[in-house]
Amino acid sequence: MSVAPTDAQAAHADGVERLLASYRAIPPAATVRLAKPTSNLFRARAKSTAKGLDVSGLTDVIAVDPGARTADVAGMCTYENLVAATLPHGLAPLVVPQLKTITLGGAVTGLGIESTSFRNGLPHESVLEMDILTGAGDVITASRDQHPDLFHAFPNSYGTLGYSVRLKIELEPVKPFVALRHLRSRSLTELVEVMDRIVETGGLDGEPVDYLDGVVFSAEESYLCVGVRTEMPGSVSDYTGQQIYYRSIQHPDGEKRDRLTIHDYLWRWDTDWFWCSRAFGAQNPKIRRFWPHRYRRSSFYWKLIGYDQRFGIADRIEIRNGRPPRERVVQDIEVPIGRTAEFLTWFLKNVPIEPIWLCPLQLRDDTSWPLYPIRPRHTYVNVGFWSSVPVGPEEGHTNRLIERKVSELDGHKSLYSDAYYSRDEFEELYGGETYRTVKKAYDPDARLLDLYAKAVQRR
């Protein structure tokens, strides 16, 4: 049953009041944190007994305006709920990150990406305005014209400048189906060259391209996944059951075609958490047959990861079998497209992780985002790799190698997972003086964590 806009707005206003009341209840000396049961972060987080912010009333879509192609959305609304509200209008957010439980506020303050990013950039670029609870305990509206310093510093701040309470975002038209072409390349250079042409021209073989990402299985086997919106009726594939999406991409040569509903396309990676569900046996046909359908989703696999982190299950198994503990290597990095083949070649030789996800992106305009300063009008490629490797001679050995290589290639990496930068390196890469100035203005008493402390230091 849909909620009338006036009811949704009243419910949101009540949620904001509960949020502010919970802020006022936190002792002045205590660090302000969210009271949030789930997270898509992989880095270590400090244990705290302090009561957090009550965001339970900030989880819904407030309103969708089909004529203006906009939506007002509460900050803790998941993309699963957001897409469910917009698709009936033939609309979707300009960028829909891959996992259902990522929140809109989280994607904006922590960066998100998907296969529309080569033409639509990153989620924060389609934000028109947002209400932010600052460290000072005020809810202020920020946009390109109001509090522009906070608006532009908010992306990649990870809650250290405030928390988004409401966001007004642009939407774009979609069609009922996505027609897919999976193009195989036998060299990384070839793969990147084709990707670059598609990004620059917006099309392939004279036809426009709406969605673009890729998968690398090895130096000799990689694929571009090219999607086109279509209203053409016909049969569609289903990768929520026994079939597995990323395995469907593979084929001996040339190209393979496929079709999905727009809903299933947007969530094609969630069922198996890209390919990470294999770590739990969920891709074994004998197990998958009995794996409850409702548990074939990223949020459930995240719970299993949480149990492992809490009890050290995987490390205990490795030690029992005479193997060293493993280092978590769960990262997304961006490198310029001209350095992508170089990075992939290095990675495949030095880091025993496969497959690897690729997603090209260009910022939408010349706007500066100081906490993640990739250059406008330049193409970057997001490289995602999520697994573990045997521990090295120092803590975070492989992650440190990757950080150095990414910096050497003029790239950046997201901060949702482990980071090992020195403070000087970090400030050079992630905002430096600009961040400190905005932080002092909107969190004068340091009620929120510092970004370096939150992203790098173990607390």
Side-chain angles (χ1 to χ4, degrees):
M1 179 178 175
S2 62
V3 178
T6 52
D7 293 339
Q9 289 162 0
H12 178 70
D14 181 64
V16 173
E17 286 303 314
R18 296 207 304 274
L19 172 74
L20 290 171
S22 67
Y23 176 92
R24 291 190 289 267
I26 297 173
T31 300
V32 175
R33 302 172 187 269
L34 294 182
K36 188 169 178 278
T38 61
S39 172
N40 284 285
L41 299 179
F42 274 85
R43 56 176 136 77
R45 290 182 291 168
K47 290 182 172 61
S48 175
T49 57
K51 195 170 182 178
L53 294 173
D54 180 359
V55 294
S56 61
L58 303 175
T59 61
D60 296 326
V61 177
I62 303 165
V64 176
D65 186 335
R69 295 179 182 170
T70 61
D72 269 301
V73 186
M76 300 300 157
C77 179
T78 66
Y79 273 93
E80 182 176 25
N81 291 339
L82 175 53
V83 165
T86 63
L87 281 188
H89 300 286
L91 299 169
L94 271 63
V95 179
V96 179
Q98 315 87 341
L99 307 180
K100 292 178 177 179
T101 55
I102 293 175
T103 63
L104 177 60
V108 169
T109 194
L111 303 185
I113 194 168
E114 234 295 320
S115 60
T116 56
S117 289
F118 77 102
R119 57 184 178 82
N120 287 340
L122 300 174
H124 58 268
E125 295 187 88
S126 58
V127 175
L128 300 173
E129 65 178 27
M130 52 186 159
D131 295 341
I132 298 172
L133 172 66
T134 69
D138 303 315
V139 175
I140 64 174
T141 300
S143 68
R144 287 169 174 80
D145 300 318
Q146 304 177 77
H147 302 285
D149 53 346
L150 178 60
F151 182 83
H152 290 104
F154 198 74
N156 211 45
S157 63
Y158 283 91
T160 66
L161 297 178
Y163 296 103
S164 55
V165 174
R166 177 194 63 91
L167 304 98
K168 185 174 184 178
I169 62 168
E170 300 175 67
L171 305 172
E172 69 173 7
V174 293
K175 293 182 179 178
F177 306 102
V178 177
L180 288 165
R181 297 169 64 184
H182 302 311
L183 311 176
R184 176 164 178 163
S185 295
R186 296 194 176 273
S187 76
L188 299 171
T189 301
E190 177 190 7
L191 177 87
V192 173
E193 286 176 351
V194 176
M195 179 189 291
D196 197 18
R197 287 201 302 271
I198 294 173
V199 173
E200 288 303 309
T201 65
L204 177 67
D205 299 333
E207 296 183 354
V209 169
D210 299 307
Y211 307 99
L212 178 63
D213 63 351
V215 179
V216 175
F217 290 90
S218 70
E220 295 75 34
E221 184 189 3
S222 57
Y223 301 87
L224 286 182
C225 304
V226 179
V228 178
R229 301 169 182 149
T230 179
E231 294 179 306
M232 186 79 66
S235 61
V236 293
S237 297
D238 179 4
Y239 297 108
T240 64
Q242 295 305 300
Q243 302 304 310
I244 298 169
Y245 175 71
Y246 84 98
R247 288 300 182 193
S248 77
I249 293 169
Q250 295 181 275
H251 58 274
D253 207 354
E255 73 173 63
K256 178 181 179 181
R257 293 181 180 259
D258 200 356
R259 279 168 48 90
L260 294 170
T261 65
I262 179 60
H263 175 275
D264 285 357
Y265 176 80
L266 293 175
W267 303 128
R268 68 201 183 283
W269 294 120
D270 189 85
T271 301
D272 284 286
W273 210 5
F274 284 83
W275 30 81
C276 298
S277 69
R278 64 186 178 182
F280 312 110
Q283 295 180 25
N284 181 323
K286 294 180 181 178
I287 297 175
R288 192 177 185 88
R289 188 176 299 115
F290 298 101
W291 194 287
H293 189 275
R294 66 184 181 278
Y295 294 148
R296 285 193 212 127
R297 53 183 287 143
S298 62
S299 56
F300 180 71
Y301 306 134
W302 227 119
K303 289 181 181 179
L304 297 181
I305 289 287
Y307 290 133
D308 175 57
Q309 291 176 347
R310 183 178 177 183
F311 299 110
I313 299 170
D315 281 349
R316 292 181 183 182
I317 292 172
E318 293 298 306
I319 293 171
R320 185 175 299 169
N321 289 312
R323 297 187 294 263
R326 298 183 69 83
E327 174 189 350
R328 181 176 62 194
V329 181
V330 177
Q331 305 286 354
D332 279 75
I333 63 96
E334 271 94 33
V335 290
I337 195 166
R339 313 299 295 272
T340 301
E342 181 181 353
F343 176 79
L344 291 171
T345 299
W346 174 87
F347 186 91
L348 290 169
K349 288 180 179 178
N350 291 277
V351 184
I353 292 176
E354 55 75 28
I356 305 165
W357 186 59
L358 305 180
C359 187
L361 72 128
Q362 273 195 6
L363 297 182
R364 291 178 68 191
D365 54 37
D366 292 329
T367 300
S368 173
W369 307 98
L371 270 62
Y372 207 71
I374 60 177
R375 294 185 295 169
R377 305 191 187 281
H378 285 73
T379 302
Y380 291 78
V381 178
N382 176 279
V383 185
F385 36 91
W386 317 292
S387 189
S388 63
V389 300
V391 296
E394 61 178 337
E395 181 191 5
H397 173 71
T398 298
N399 282 285
R400 293 173 193 269
L401 288 177
I402 293 167
E403 287 179 355
R404 288 196 289 269
K405 191 64 178 180
V406 170
S407 293
E408 176 188 323
L409 299 179
D410 299 320
H412 277 73
K413 84 168 193 175
S414 297
L415 296 174
Y416 70 85
S417 190
D418 302 302
Y420 296 88
Y421 298 107
S422 69
R423 183 174 284 276
D424 288 344
E425 290 174 312
F426 188 87
E427 292 205 354
E428 184 178 348
L429 291 169
Y430 299 104
E433 183 62 35
T434 299
Y435 172 76
R436 290 195 299 273
T437 300
V438 177
K439 175 78 167 170
K440 187 172 183 179
Y442 295 96
D443 185 22
D445 298 321
R447 298 295 308 277
L448 307 172
L449 284 175
D450 169 76
L451 184 58
Y452 183 75
K454 191 168 190 177
V456 180
Q457 293 175 327
R458 302 295 179 263
R459 297 177 63 88

